[in-house]
Structures are given as structure tokens and as C-alpha cells.
Amino acid sequence: MLVVHGAWVDRLLALWAEATGPLATTAGDEPSRHPFAASAAELAAAIGTSAAGAAQTELTIRLPGSPRGPLPSPESGLPAAARRPRLMTWRVPTVLLEPTAALTLLESLDAAPEDEASTDAAAPEWGPASSLRYLALVGDVARDLVRRGRILPQLSTGNGVPAACWAPVLTGSDAAEFRELAGAMPPVCRAVDGERAAGERAAADVLRDALAGLVDGAARRAMPDRLLAGHRAGPRHPLADRWLFALTADDPALPGAKPADVEALDGALRQWLASAYQLHGPVRVCFRLGEPAEDEDAWVVEFGLQPADEPAQYVPAARIWAGERLPGLPPRPDEVLLAGLGRAVRLCSDLYPALQQPQPTELAVDTAWAYTFLRHGAPLLRAAGYAVNLPTWSGLRGLGLRLTTRPAGARADELSLDDRVDVRLGLAIGEQAIGEAELTELAGLDVPLVRIGGQWVELDGRQLRSALKAIEERGTGQMTVREVIREVAAGGEDDLPLVDVVAGGLLGDLLSGDADRRLAPVPTPDTFHGTLRPYQERGLSWLSFLAGLGLGGILADDMGLGKTAQTLSLLLSERAGGRELPATLLLCPMSLVSNWQKEAARFGPSLRVYVHHGGTRKRDEELAAAVAEADLVITTYGTAARDVEALASVHWGRIVCDEAQAVKNSATRQARVVRAIPAQTRLALTGTPVENHLAELWSIMDFCNPGLLGTPTRFRERYREPIEKGRDEHAARALRRATGPFILRRLKTDKSIISDLPEKLEMKTWCSLTPEQAQLYEAVLNDMMGKIESSEGIERRGNVLATMTRLKQVCNHPAHLLKNGSRLGGRSGKLARLEELAQEIVEEGDKALVFTQYAEFGALLRPYLAAHLDRPVLWLHGGLPKARRDELVDRFQSDDEPMLFLLSLKAAGTGLNLTAANHVIHVDRWWNPAVEDQATDRAFRIGQRRTVQVRKFICVDTLEERIDDMIEQKKALAERVVGTGEDWITDLSTERLRELFRLGPGAVS
């Protein structure tokens, strides 16, 4: 059962608190009723569960709180009244969900709200709490285990009545993932009182039970209605038959079974499960499928052994039976081979004829057998831990749709979404087109494993039937351009993907994903004061083309390539000749408001700009009048959230989201607010369309073109899971085809885009600790590791982050940690190196940007460096008013005197143009390559004429060096693995943390 109670559902917590208020605790040991005492029926209705698979009851839960009431969920944002909370028992209305119903609920957590337009900006931001998000992750693991066949059928005998069930097989990386999940379990997941006090039960035991239940539910949902043909086994049938049918039945119980039968079946199944774990030894049995020669039907499955840690080494069975003594094999490899083959027969009974030979080496089979092995036997064997080597073409996508369009009539040079085009659906296998007659012939074959064009291809019956139906219903005809675009974005069906698109004219330019190079150029408007580079002119053409179709897009040019200039040129181009158009609403971070004002005045002085921000901003009729007189309205995301009703009532021609990472999480209130404002077209500007995972791309795309990529669930199943978990190149190619028409991405490093940008030299500057720093480092480490080891869940995560913060402060300077106002000189290796480097920079007549993660450290550095350098040291942080920020930026850019510009990473990591600097120094690290690159791009952007030198300070043999090594090892996956900030580190085990944080012998100079 999955237990869902009020403490796990933030929205219900707050609603119940408002409705009922706190209740006094019951005297004595009797648990009090939870003060947020809605009924279980109301809870079930709120989380959208049906009566099936849900039981409404009350449970005794141990939660932190006081006699006035339990603490609200940390994610709710509600204030905690208790100063010294303690664990107390409460009676809580509860919904108990059967595994299949629980999976449905957990899957729904990723779904975006159905009605984005109805967002109440004044309402708090609600969402699932950490415990429910944790269980959603467990549900993902359960479904993945089922999908990969990492399960075995078992017999449950724990509650007195035997029942059929499915059990996970956790070996290798799955076992490691299980241990990590257990270590990350929020404490509330163990809050239900039972036979032992809540919290005493090990997290691994709780997780094992939860995962087993979810795996059983996922397996039943994925399995066919029944595994055997014929009638369902009755009470008088053998227990094994009844058990087999119960594996997919709604009721898995097997009442009335004889104890002896239960014991015999349970023993055999447990032995089967144990053998699955035995497969993961130092040597494993290997199967090799060899394809026949031309015009033959003689396939061969060859047997052999393979060391588990050296998959390239393979020893054929013939050499084993010949008695050869080979390195890496156990003393009796023949016994290992026979035992492994015997276990394999249980998974793939078609291998049984091989065991009739005293010394089996191979099995000769036909094409039908080979197809069955490819589709069923090989996946089962691999999932069980066997090595299976298949031909290189196996597993490739077979049949797919080929969409061909051409203009209907003579409108090849014009295009609108409502234009109709001639459409023809064809079929292809790989790159080879398949005619309808050939498809019909293939459908008549008994074995859907055929050789086409000299290559074997797997075709299953479902694909063939879907293909025949698609050709019959939609072979030729007409569609609107809008329908064609949605067809391409959908990517076909799961069993019949869209593999190729052939289109001509402007539609072909759009669908090619390379439209900026093929579209007719749009001239730079005369009202644009400046010169657009060639790639920027192509960007203007692309933006104009999409806008003319009423489509949104993502301008994802690299930082510094002029997204602002291209956007302003689009507004000026649309207003050429004095045309009156609805205003464009531009949303951006507060730090960029002045930048947009000044860039608009510089490039497009004819544009009428109104800044809607601050306490004096216009409202009601005055706002409507100001918008009516403006071409561009600039506001911040925060202001838009506060004024969403007023902004949503305006007729906007376009909404532009600058730094569109702000809407990368579709579930946040900020993203919902932006979607609630209607506009004719939408444009997203971002240099990082994907920072952590593909759901962010879906969110930004859904802002630009709502509904184009389908629902979040459909996107997750079609693209995100296959790409992120399975590294599916076909899915990645399909996603590029679906999103390519709406994303324009150019990189600064591409010399065909920009050839006059100077080089960027990145280097690491290694620093040592002083003896004082080393002593503080050891003291902090010894103190905090004890706290980490004795804490769990959110408290542990907080302790890990606190440890990192304190250790990084020590690496910066002892005064940064101690906060005692003590002297700075001579106590920090980093400060000494920064002082030396800064002196060299100003003596050369250069300027430098110095980024720190901590505003308090910047406040310490500014007066010290200014005194020792006798040069200006500017200091920009989040506490400065906008006017002061603008003044500092102007001084740095315009003043010829060498100087340093200290900047807080959060306050100045994006949006600013600081090309006067040709040195960038990261004193302390945020440990996210994307964030650091954005900060560096304040100097490395268009307008920079000198080589930019980037230095990242790292203290030797400390956590700074080890985390830098981890990032370098995972650079290709940094966006997915590292994420934003440092939260990813909190999920490491205590042993990994101890190794990560330890102070090495080389740290002290």
C-alpha cells in the first residue's frame, strides 16, 4: 500500500489549517487528531483517486510539532509556530492506495496544470512535498525495472494467505541505485507507527517493501491479461497453475492452498530468485547469435564464457571442452558453463535442445527461432545477467512513416498556417522506401524477420498492421500547414515513428531546421541604428518568418551573439513604414531592465518604450493608455506575477521572455503566470535551453507554442525517458526533427558564425591553504561529519550543504568563516594569489572581473584590494539599487583607468555587458559549468577585441579539487548530472562525502 496523508500534500495542509485551525492535544499517550482534519474522502477527492484501489482510513503518524499542532511541510512555505518541535503522534486521515493506483498518482505529479490560463497569481505556489516527489522517483525506478525485465515472479506468504507477486532483481547498478535511494529517504516516509516505533525501521526495509509493491503493480499493468490460454484455473487446479494465473489477476491471493504445496512452490521460486543473483559473479555465460549467409536460413547460437569485468574477452565453449587453460576463467570452467546454461533454459526454454548434448557448443536454428530469440529470449537473458552478443543491426527501428508534402497550387512562395498542401504518407525501413505492394507481401510472411537490401530487419505484427492502416486511411490527401507542423512535432506513433520528412518551398525551409540559411533575407530596417552581422540578419529573417506564420520560437544563440539586437531589429522591421501594431511585452530579470532600455535607445531610438516596474508603475486605465502608446513594454518576472491580471487583460502582439530559463519549470508559479498572459506570438531568448533535463525544453517550447509537443506525460514517454535513460539516438533524432523548426542555435566557437571574436583561454589557478586554514578545515570537517552521519532526509541535506559552505569559506579565508572582523593579510593562500594576480593585471593596464559566490566575502575583499592596489575596486551585489548598479557598469565600461570589478555571481552572472574586461577570475566555484560560463560571458561576447583569460581558483587537495575532478569526468553529462548549484552533492553517500571533503597532505603550503 502507498500511504497518502495530509502531511505529504502541501495544498491540503494549508486548506485544512485555514478551515479548522489548531486543536488542543489529547491528554495522556492517546494520539491527538491531526489539526488539519479533513476527511479521508476529501483527501481522496483532492488527489484525484477513484474508489478502486483506494481505502479511506486513519493512521497514527509520528510527526515533528508541538501540542498546538504538527509542523507544516517545509515546501508549503507556511510558518512553523513551534520553537522546539519534538516528535509526537497524531491521528491522520489517510488514503491507502493499491500499487497500480499509487503508480497512477505518482505519475501525475509530473503533469502540468490543465488550465494554465486560470492561474491565480495571488495564490501560493503549491506542489507535491519532498516525500511524495521521493516516492514518484521510486515509482520511476519500479517502472524501469519492469521495462528492462529486472523482475521475477514469486510467492508472498507473509500475511497468512499465499499470493502471487512480482519481485525486483537488484544487482549491479540497480543495487547501487537502491542504496542511494535508501540514503535519500525523507524521514516522513517512515512516520507510520507500527509494530516498532516510527523511525526505528531502517530506510532500506521501508524502501524494499515500497519498491516491491510498486514493481508488482507496474508488472501487472504491463503484462497481458493472462499468461496461459484457456479458462482460469479453479480452486481444484494445482497450486502452480493457480499461481501462474494470479500473476496477472486483479486478486493475487491463493486461498485454500495446502501448506506442503505452498512450501514446495515457495522454495523453488526463492531458489530461482537466488540464482538470478548468482549470475553476477566474476564469469558469466555468453550467447552469440550469428546470421546466415546469403540465401540461407541457417542461424547459429554459439555458447561461451566471458569475464564480467572484461566484456571484450570471449572464450568459445569448444575451447572450454577442449580443456584449454585460459587466463581469467575459474578452475572448472566447464561446470560454470553447464550450470549457467541450465539456469538459462528456465528463462528461454527454446535453448533446451542444446542441453541434450554432453558438451554443448552451439545450437543451429532457423529464422523463426532467431526472431523469437531477438524479441524475447535475448532481453530476458540480458536482464538476468547473461552476456548476449547480437548482430549490429538488431534492435534498430524497423518500419517508419515518410511524410512528403508539396504546395497545393501555385503558392510555393507564400505560406500561412491555414494553407493546404498535398500530403503523401509513405513507408521506409531505414533509408529504403517500401512500396504498398511490398508492404502487403511482408505482412503475409509468417516470420517478421526479413532481409531487405542485404540487411536483416525486425518487423513485428503490430507495426505492420499500423502501417497498412495508416496507408489505407491517410496515404494521400491534403492537410493544412498547421496540421503538417503538428504531425512532424508529434513524431508519429510509438509503434510507427516518423522517420523522414520531405517538403518543398517555404514549408520545407521551416521543417528543415536550417531555415535561417534558406529563407529569403529580410533587410535590416532603416530605423535600426547599427549593423547586423550576417548571422544576425539570418536570425532576423527566421524570426520574421515564424512571426508571419503566427508561430513562436526559441532564439538560443550563445551568450554574447546579440539576441537583444536581433529582437529589436524584428520590432523595427515589423513597424517599417509607420505600421501600427500591438505592443510587445518583454519579461526579464530585474538586472536586465536597464540593459534593454539602453539597447533599445541605442539600436531603435524610434521605438516607444515603457518600463512597467517599481512602486510608481501605472495601473488600470493609466496602464492601458501607456501600453497603447508603446511599442515595447519592459517588465520583470516578479512584477508580472504581481500584475498578472492587469497584463493578461491587454492585447499583446508578442511576449518575449529573456533569460527564458525562468520558465524552464512548467510547474512553478512564475511559469504559469507567463503562460496566463495571452499574445499573438511568443519568443524565448536563452543561451541555455536545456540546463538539467529535457523537461525544461518541453516547458520553454510549450510557452512558445502551447500544446505543440503534447502533454508532459506524452513527452516523457516519447522523448525524455528514451533519451535520458536509454541513450536512444532514434528518439534524439526525432526530438531534433520536432523542435528544430522552432529553435535557432548558433555558437560563438563556430568560426562560420563569427570569425572576429578573440580567443578565450581558460585555466585553473591552484592555491594552497595556510596552516591556520588547514586547522579550521579539519575542525569544521570533524564537527559536521558527525552531524551528517546522525541525520537523515532534509536535515541531512541541510547539514551537507552547510558543511560545503563552511569548507568553502575556510578555503576563501579564515575571516570569511569566523566573521570576526579580523585582519586579512597573510592568512589565505587564495587571497595571496588574488593579490598577486590583480597587481599584474592593473600594472599591464587591464581590467578584470572577479566573481565570488558570497556577497559577504566580496564586502571583505573590496576595501583590502583597493588599499593594496591603489586602484579602483568596484563592488556589485544584489543589495544595490538599480541606479547604483547602472552607475558602476557605466564607470567600468567607460573609464580608461585599470581596475577590478568585484561581482556577486547571483547578482551579476547574467545580462551585463562588461567587455572592458579581458580577465575573468572565479575566486570560489558554483560548480555548475553553465552558470560559470554565463558569468564569463559578461566579458567574452560581441564587442570584445582582446583575448579573454579566465582563471578558476581551486585549493589543492581539498573538496574544491575533488569536485572539479568530478565535473571534468562528467563534462559531457554535466547538464544532466550536476544540475544547478550544489544540491546534487547532497545525494552522495556518507562514505563518498567523507572522501570528497577530506583534507589531503598536499593542501598546506
Side-chain angles (χ1 to χ4, degrees):
M1 289 282 188
L2 170 68
V3 182
V4 178
H5 56 79
W8 289 359
V9 185
D10 294 341
R11 185 172 186 180
L12 295 176
L13 274 172
L15 293 179
W16 295 344
E18 293 171 1
T20 64
L23 301 180
T25 184
T26 304
D29 295 331
E30 178 67 20
S32 307
R33 180 168 176 78
H34 196 290
F36 308 145
S39 68
E42 291 171 318
L43 175 60
I47 62 177
T49 61
S50 62
Q56 301 169 13
T57 184
E58 283 191 354
L59 287 179
T60 300
I61 310 291
R62 290 175 64 85
L63 300 171
S66 69
R68 290 182 57 83
L71 297 183
S73 171
E75 291 88 347
S76 68
L78 299 175
R83 293 185 178 180
R84 295 182 178 178
R86 65 181 188 273
L87 280 178
M88 303 181 67
T89 56
W90 303 89
R91 294 196 314 276
V92 178
T94 307
V95 174
L96 303 180
L97 300 180
E98 294 292 346
T100 51
L103 282 169
T104 301
L105 170 64
L106 296 176
E107 289 169 349
S108 69
L109 298 184
D110 282 342
E114 291 291 332
D115 186 10
E116 301 285 5
S118 65
T119 301
D120 180 5
E125 183 175 335
W126 304 112
S130 61
S131 50
L132 208 55
R133 294 199 304 270
Y134 173 83
L135 288 174
L137 179 60
V138 176
D140 288 341
V141 172
R143 291 195 302 274
D144 184 58
L145 289 170
V146 172
R147 179 182 61 81
R148 293 187 289 114
R150 304 292 297 159
I151 59 174
L152 284 175
Q154 290 291 290
L155 186 67
S156 170
T157 59
N159 59 358
V161 178
C165 65
W166 294 90
V169 178
L170 301 173
T171 57
S173 61
D174 294 322
E177 184 177 22
F178 177 87
R179 290 191 294 271
E180 292 177 0
L181 276 175
M185 178 180 288
V188 73
C189 291
R190 295 183 285 149
V192 179
D193 266 3
E195 296 178 358
R196 289 180 288 178
E200 291 184 6
R201 194 178 181 202
D205 294 337
V206 175
L207 177 60
R208 191 172 290 106
D209 289 347
L211 186 60
L214 292 173
V215 160
D216 185 70
R220 292 177 185 277
R221 198 167 62 174
M223 295 287 175
D225 292 338
R226 54 187 182 182
L227 296 177
L228 294 179
H231 298 290
R232 181 179 178 85
R236 297 184 179 180
H237 282 75
L239 179 61
D241 291 347
R242 295 173 58 200
W243 166 82
L244 186 60
F245 279 106
L247 285 172
T248 55
D250 294 333
D251 182 8
L254 300 167
K258 297 178 181 179
D261 294 341
V262 172
E263 183 178 358
L265 180 59
D266 185 49
L269 293 173
R270 288 181 182 275
Q271 186 177 0
W272 187 7
L273 184 63
S275 67
Y277 286 89
Q278 293 171 1
L279 286 169
H280 293 268
V283 176
R284 56 185 178 179
V285 174
C286 181
F287 299 90
R288 279 189 169 183
L289 178 64
E291 57 187 286
E294 190 75 29
D295 299 328
E296 292 186 10
D297 192 33
W299 299 71
V300 174
V301 180
E302 185 181 90
F303 312 136
L305 291 180
Q306 179 187 85
D309 56 351
E310 296 184 32
Q313 183 178 344
Y314 169 77
V315 182
R319 297 180 65 185
I320 294 173
W321 295 122
E324 295 185 34
R325 303 186 65 84
L326 301 169
L329 294 185
R332 293 299 305 272
D334 53 341
E335 294 181 357
V336 175
L337 178 62
L338 277 179
L341 289 174
R343 288 191 295 266
V345 169
R346 298 179 182 179
L347 296 171
C348 182
S349 59
D350 291 340
L351 292 170
Y352 180 76
L355 293 184
Q356 294 177 328
Q357 304 297 323
Q359 296 181 342
T361 59
E362 63 183 28
L363 181 65
V365 299
D366 58 16
T367 301
W369 195 102
Y371 174 75
T372 302
F373 183 74
L374 285 169
R375 300 291 293 177
H376 304 292
L380 285 173
L381 292 170
R382 274 181 173 164
Y386 289 94
V388 182
N389 295 336
L390 302 175
T392 56
W393 48 262
S394 65
L396 297 178
R397 296 291 178 89
L399 205 58
L401 289 175
R402 189 169 190 248
L403 180 67
T404 304
T405 74
R406 63 180 181 180
R411 291 175 54 85
D413 297 330
E414 298 181 24
L415 191 67
S416 74
L417 290 179
D418 295 323
D419 283 347
R420 302 192 71 81
V421 293
D422 294 326
V423 175
R424 180 180 180 275
L425 275 182
L427 298 165
I429 296 177
E431 298 180 354
Q432 184 168 346
I434 300 296
E436 186 174 354
E438 191 172 5
L439 177 65
T440 303
E441 181 181 349
L442 291 176
L445 296 176
D446 293 333
V447 180
L449 182 62
V450 295
R451 195 197 300 264
I452 298 177
Q455 177 174 297
W456 289 93
V457 178
E458 300 175 53
L459 300 176
D460 61 29
R462 184 174 60 178
Q463 261 198 328
L464 290 169
R465 289 189 296 271
S466 297
L468 287 171
K469 183 178 179 182
I471 294 299
E472 180 181 350
E473 295 179 352
R474 306 164 52 205
T476 58
Q478 287 191 340
M479 300 171 67
T480 66
V481 170
R482 180 183 284 104
E483 291 169 339
V484 171
I485 292 173
R486 292 193 177 276
E487 183 86 19
V488 173
E493 302 297 332
D494 291 335
D495 57 345
L496 196 63
L498 183 65
V499 297
D500 192 19
V501 178
V502 179
L506 292 178
L507 179 58
D509 294 339
L510 172 65
L511 298 179
S512 68
D514 195 25
D516 67 304
R517 296 181 182 274
R518 297 168 56 176
L519 293 172
V522 173
T524 302
D526 295 335
T527 49
F528 184 82
H529 288 208
T531 302
L532 292 179
R533 294 169 180 265
Y535 74 89
Q536 292 174 328
E537 290 182 333
R538 296 196 299 271
L540 171 59
S541 301
W542 181 78
L543 291 171
S544 298
F545 178 59
L546 285 186
L549 288 175
L551 294 171
I554 302 175
L555 184 57
D557 283 347
D558 210 351
M559 288 288 179
L561 289 185
K563 295 187 288 292
T564 301
Q566 294 175 74
T567 303
L568 293 173
S569 68
L570 172 66
L571 302 185
L572 292 168
S573 176
E574 292 174 334
R575 286 159 177 79
R579 286 184 293 166
E580 291 291 333
L581 296 172
T584 288
L585 175 65
L586 185 139
L587 297 98
C588 64
M590 191 273 287
S591 61
L592 298 186
V593 171
S594 293
N595 185 72
W596 274 99
Q597 273 185 283
K598 293 181 179 180
E599 295 293 87
R602 173 189 171 192
F603 290 119
S606 63
L607 288 174
R608 300 167 297 172
V609 179
Y610 163 61
V611 177
H612 184 69
H613 178 64
T616 60
R617 65 186 184 274
K618 301 182 184 299
R619 304 176 188 277
D620 303 326
E621 291 82 6
E622 290 184 351
L623 173 60
V627 172
E629 295 297 324
D631 298 309
L632 176 63
V633 176
I634 303 173
T635 191
T636 67
Y637 288 105
T639 303
R642 290 186 287 272
D643 295 354
V644 62
E645 292 185 4
L647 295 176
S649 65
V650 176
H651 175 62
W652 299 103
R654 176 184 291 105
I655 294 180
V656 179
C657 281
D658 192 15
E659 299 295 343
Q661 308 93 293
V663 296
K664 67 183 181 181
N665 186 345
S666 62
T668 62
R669 180 183 173 217
Q670 186 162 272
R672 298 197 303 269
V673 163
V674 172
R675 285 184 173 82
I677 303 174
Q680 295 176 11
T681 61
R682 297 164 182 259
L683 176 62
L685 308 178
T686 175
T688 52
V690 178
E691 280 189 328
N692 305 310
H693 46 72
L694 290 177
E696 297 171 352
L697 178 61
W698 179 91
S699 182
I700 298 176
M701 278 289 296
D702 199 61
F703 157 73
C704 296
N705 294 293
L708 187 69
L709 291 181
T711 65
T713 301
R714 164 68 179 170
F715 182 82
R716 183 182 67 240
E717 295 172 350
R718 178 72 176 89
Y719 298 114
R720 184 179 171 186
E721 289 184 349
I723 294 172
E724 293 182 348
K725 293 184 179 180
R727 308 295 184 203
D728 190 331
E729 284 301 321
H730 300 280
R733 194 178 303 117
L735 181 59
R736 287 194 295 270
R737 184 187 301 113
T739 58
F742 313 101
I743 300 177
L744 186 57
R745 173 77 164 154
R746 280 85 62 93
L747 303 177
K748 282 186 300 210
T749 52
D750 185 352
K751 293 300 182 182
S752 67
I753 297 298
I754 180 169
S755 58
D756 58 350
L757 193 66
E759 296 294 325
K760 178 174 66 172
L761 304 178
E762 295 193 80
M763 60 202 83
K764 296 172 183 176
T765 299
W766 303 98
C767 307
S768 299
L769 300 182
T770 63
E772 180 188 5
Q773 284 178 294
Q775 291 176 357
L776 277 175
Y777 193 104
E778 290 280 20
V780 169
L781 186 59
N782 292 335
D783 176 53
M784 295 304 297
M785 284 307 299
K787 294 181 179 179
I788 291 172
E789 289 177 343
S790 61
S791 58
E792 295 181 337
I794 295 176
E795 182 184 0
R796 181 182 185 275
R797 292 173 63 87
N799 285 334
V800 174
L801 290 173
T803 304
M804 283 193 298
T805 298
R806 295 180 187 181
L807 294 179
K808 289 172 68 178
Q809 289 172 339
V810 172
C811 290
N812 280 348
H813 197 285
H816 187 190
L817 172 73
L818 300 174
K819 299 178 175 59
N820 56 4
S822 56
R823 66 179 179 85
L824 298 186
R827 301 171 64 196
S828 166
K830 267 191 185 180
L831 179 58
R833 185 67 189 100
L834 176 62
E835 192 176 343
E836 295 169 357
L837 187 58
Q839 189 69 49
E840 296 175 10
I841 290 172
V842 295
E843 287 179 357
E844 291 291 330
D846 293 340
K847 296 181 180 181
L849 308 180
V850 181
F851 285 98
T852 176
Q853 182 183 347
Y854 303 102
E856 56 192 13
F857 189 49
L860 293 175
L861 288 177
R862 193 203 65 78
Y864 178 86
L865 291 175
H868 284 73
L869 296 176
D870 194 24
R871 294 285 186 178
V873 178
L874 311 183
W875 170 222
L876 191 154
H877 54 87
L880 294 179
K882 176 176 172 296
R884 178 59 177 159
R885 293 166 59 96
D886 296 344
E887 178 185 335
L888 291 175
V889 172
D890 287 342
R891 179 181 177 186
F892 186 78
Q893 286 292 92
S894 59
D895 198 326
D896 292 334
E897 185 177 6
M899 65 180 70
L900 299 187
F901 202 164
L902 278 172
L903 306 113
S904 164
L905 186 63
K906 285 188 176 180
T910 59
L912 298 180
N913 188 338
L914 300 171
T915 51
N918 63 318
H919 297 268
V920 178
I921 301 172
H922 295 278
V923 175
D924 43 52
R925 309 286 300 280
W926 186 249
W927 292 325
N928 180 350
V931 172
E932 291 184 345
D933 289 345
Q934 285 181 341
T936 299
D937 285 339
R938 301 310 98 224
F940 186 62
R941 59 196 298 119
I942 289 178
Q944 182 59 259
R945 296 287 180 250
R946 295 175 292 175
T947 297
V948 177
Q949 300 181 36
V950 184
R951 292 175 173 85
K952 299 176 181 180
F953 280 18
I954 303 171
C955 284
V956 178
D957 232 346
T958 67
L959 84 160
E960 293 192 339
E961 180 177 7
R962 297 188 190 96
I963 293 181
D964 179 74
D965 289 341
M966 293 170 67
I967 292 176
E968 290 299 326
Q969 293 167 9
K970 300 176 179 177
K971 197 83 171 186
L973 299 176
E975 291 179 342
R976 184 177 65 87
V977 176
V978 177
T980 56
E982 301 154 350
D983 287 351
W984 61 283
I985 300 174
T986 63
D987 294 330
L988 298 178
S989 66
T990 301
E991 290 73 18
R992 289 291 306 280
L993 288 174
R994 191 180 297 278
E995 173 62 24
L996 184 69
F997 292 159
R998 69 175 175 84
L999 185 67
V1004 184
S1005 58

